[in-house]
Amino acid sequence: MESQLDAIRRSFDQELGQARNTEHLEKLRIKYLGRKGRLTSLLRQMGKLEPRERPRIGKISNELKVYIDSRLQAAGAILSEDKKTSAGLDVTLPGRAFRRGSIHIINQVLAEIEDMFVDLGFSVVNGPEVEDDYHNFEALNIPPYHPARDMQATFYFSESTLLRTHTSPVQIRIMENSQLPIRVIAPGKVYRSDSDVSHTPMFHQVEGLWVESGINFSHLKGVLEAFVHTIFGPDVPLRFRPSYFPFTEPSAEVDIGCFICGGKGCRVCGNTGWLEILGCGMVDPAVYEYVGIKDESVTGFAFGLGVERVAMLKYAVDDIRLFFDNDLRFLKQFS
Ligand code: PHE
């Protein structure tokens, strides 16, 4: 009888290995453990055994029964799990999440700057990135011998065609083609052959231009103060420092108080307590001649700011190249 039990176990193991679905398992259960099943039939013959043999055989049979039962259960669990994933739909599983993109930090800052100037009554205009020498340099009163035309800084296609090095050529195009008064900003990409922790060959500027009879330096100051206090916060100090641009006179650069040291002087601000954020000035009369504005009562101001520079200062980013590496670990912080 012992060998018969052993045979049952072996044939069960073999048949179980071939079971492919839960119906197969149910058939096996009936075949071995059912009322007329192999094990059950064998157990009915226990009475024929010698009484002293019964306890031992009884124990082995019982173990076999438990064995068959638990293997059938385990196989049932596995097969029904398979069925859920391959053939059916398990509505209790969580859905598949979409990876959502987000607006690049430079475009976010750009939008913030644009909104702020639109609120002040500026319109947004655009100009070409592939420019001619006349709009990028000459009409801005930058003569041929000016260092800004240095081959190292400008990407040229030919002697007269280039990638704009700043957004100021849009000033010229707007003044050539518009009625006064003009109150515009011109955001966009600009290109310079430059690359280090604070320079990339492509970056973004926002040009501003307000031309109208009676506009003076105090208007420029008021507009730029509004800009600094909206973008960096109402308590951030700013100062106008005399500077030079061929197309503005007088010219200035605007600095804001260093946010790292609070004005005491540190490595980031070069111990000055100030950080430069933009260039500006009153439109040089020479420029009006190039664009054909003859009315001498007409005055105006212009400014140009670097968007990456604003973003770096606003978010304490110490390497401009991070904006263009497209490393999600960096970009995700701004989503
Ligand atoms: N175009 C200048 C630059 O790129 C900035 C500027 C714009 C200065 C307008 C004055 C007026 O450096």
Side-chain angles (χ1 to χ4, degrees):
M1 193 149 178
E2 231 181 308
S3 66
Q4 275 175 289
L5 284 168
D6 208 45
I8 289 177
R9 179 194 283 261
R10 269 184 280 119
S11 88
F12 168 77
D13 280 345
Q14 199 222 338
E15 287 192 75
L16 183 68
Q18 285 156 8
R20 289 290 167 265
N21 55 44
T22 44
E23 287 85 65
H24 290 163
L25 295 181
E26 192 46 33
K27 280 189 188 137
L28 278 182
R29 177 182 305 281
I30 294 165
K31 180 165 174 185
Y32 286 89
L33 303 179
R35 265 196 291 142
K36 293 176 185 162
R38 285 183 67 177
L39 185 57
T40 324
S41 311
L42 193 65
L43 291 180
R44 288 220 182 87
Q45 297 168 30
M46 287 273 276
K48 293 181 190 160
L49 289 172
E50 288 196 29
R52 59 183 181 88
E53 281 278 25
R54 279 178 209 162
R56 198 170 62 84
I57 300 295
K59 189 171 172 244
I60 297 176
S61 323
N62 237 329
E63 278 166 6
L64 181 57
K65 193 175 167 207
V66 169
Y67 171 79
I68 291 177
D69 202 58
S70 67
R71 290 215 55 188
L72 282 172
Q73 264 188 39
I78 290 167
L79 284 175
S80 61
E81 191 56 43
D82 266 7
K83 197 171 164 190
K84 272 186 211 159
T85 49
S86 63
L89 171 69
D90 182 353
V91 294
T92 65
L93 287 173
R96 224 170 266 159
F98 284 95
R99 284 227 202 164
R100 266 207 287 163
S102 60
I103 295 176
H104 192 280
I105 180 58
I106 293 302
N107 284 334
Q108 289 181 40
V109 171
L110 201 48
E112 208 181 317
I113 295 171
E114 283 179 22
D115 283 351
M116 181 259 139
F117 282 111
V118 166
D119 285 348
L120 288 186
F122 286 75
S123 345
V124 181
V125 297
N126 291 295
E129 289 170 30
V130 176
E131 254 305 355
D132 50 50
D133 180 278
Y134 178 79
H135 289 92
N136 196 80
F137 292 129
E138 198 177 330
L140 286 163
N141 201 29
I142 303 174
Y145 50 81
H146 195 280
R149 294 191 178 204
D150 193 320
M151 290 294 291
Q152 283 178 355
T154 309
F155 289 112
Y156 283 95
F157 293 103
S158 69
E159 216 176 301
S160 59
T161 314
L162 44 82
L163 284 172
R164 67 179 180 190
T165 58
H166 50 180
T167 42
S168 298
V170 188
Q171 284 187 41
I172 302 299
R173 292 184 177 276
I174 291 298
M175 286 190 276
E176 281 172 345
N177 297 317
S178 320
Q179 302 287 318
L180 297 176
I182 292 168
R183 198 193 300 169
V184 296
I185 55 165
K189 293 180 165 63
V190 301
Y191 303 84
R192 288 180 203 177
S193 182
D194 233 350
S195 185
D196 59 41
V197 286
S198 53
H199 298 87
T200 44
M202 184 282 293
F203 60 103
H204 296 78
Q205 284 190 333
V206 175
E207 193 80 7
L209 178 70
W210 187 339
V211 177
E212 185 174 345
S213 145
I215 292 295
N216 60 45
F217 206 96
S218 67
H219 298 107
L220 170 61
K221 248 187 115 173
V223 165
L224 292 181
E225 250 169 39
F227 161 72
V228 167
H229 290 151
T230 308
I231 301 297
F232 293 102
D235 300 324
V236 174
L238 68 159
R239 73 172 182 187
F240 287 71
R241 183 167 39 76
S243 186
Y244 173 78
F245 298 101
F247 39 94
T248 48
E249 182 60 35
S251 303
E253 278 170 317
V254 171
D255 300 333
I256 59 171
C258 180
F259 59 92
I260 302 268
C261 61
K264 289 193 194 76
C266 67
R267 200 176 57 86
V268 174
C269 59
N271 278 317
T272 62
W274 295 96
L275 296 159
E276 180 199 325
I277 55 160
L278 60 83
C280 63
M282 302 305 295
V283 177
D284 193 303
V287 173
Y288 292 130
E289 277 185 34
Y290 278 105
V291 298
I293 293 178
K294 299 206 167 64
D295 182 347
E296 291 211 344
S297 75
V298 170
T299 50
F301 65 76
F303 60 86
L305 59 92
V307 180
E308 282 77 5
R309 176 119 186 116
V310 170
M312 285 172 83
L313 296 179
K314 200 167 151 78
Y315 297 105
V317 174
D318 61 4
D319 187 337
I320 191 175
R321 294 169 294 198
L322 287 166
F323 293 125
F324 305 110
D325 285 345
N326 283 338
D327 185 331
L328 286 179
R329 289 169 303 177
F330 174 75
L331 297 177
K332 266 186 185 160
Q333 300 177 73
F334 305 103
S335 66

